[in-house]
Amino acid sequence: TLHALGDLSRQTGDLEQAKQHFAESLRMKRSLYGDRDHPDVAATLHALGDLSRQTGDLEQAKQHFAESLRMKRSLYGDRDHPDVAATLHALGD
């Protein structure tokens, strides 16, 4: 999948290619799910946040993480969930 290719590109140091893969993955997922919150969209937003942080674009990272967190809280409510915790941790880094 495009998300997995983004992860692989990031791990091998090709950050520009990773960004392209994640962006295309996000575009396709939003096309599929529309305006509905979905765990796959939230996961790709989180990955884009990680990549933005890695490239030093901290403002963009914060925006991606915040959107991912909002979506995850919408999906999982107030109950404890590992995906919510992971994004809270990323925002705190």
Side-chain angles (χ1 to χ4, degrees):
T1 68
L2 286 167
H3 187 110
L5 286 170
D7 283 335
L8 183 59
S9 295
R10 188 176 66 191
Q11 291 168 3
T12 59
D14 191 349
L15 303 183
E16 188 56 39
Q17 187 66 48
K19 183 178 179 179
Q20 291 174 14
H21 286 310
F22 286 136
E24 181 65 10
S25 175
L26 182 61
R27 186 199 65 75
M28 290 178 75
K29 289 172 182 176
R30 285 187 164 156
S31 177
L32 286 168
Y33 302 117
D35 291 334
R36 295 185 318 249
D37 292 338
H38 193 278
D40 290 345
V41 175
T44 299
L45 286 165
H46 187 108
L48 279 164
D50 283 336
L51 181 63
S52 295
R53 182 178 51 208
Q54 187 175 355
T55 61
D57 190 348
L58 300 182
E59 190 57 39
Q60 187 66 52
K62 183 178 175 182
Q63 290 175 14
H64 286 308
F65 287 138
E67 187 176 355
S68 177
L69 181 61
R70 183 210 54 78
M71 193 172 288
K72 289 173 181 180
R73 283 185 165 157
S74 170
L75 291 163
Y76 306 120
D78 290 333
R79 69 183 192 270
D80 292 341
H81 193 279
D83 290 348
V84 173
T87 302
L88 285 169
H89 178 80
L91 275 166
D93 269 352

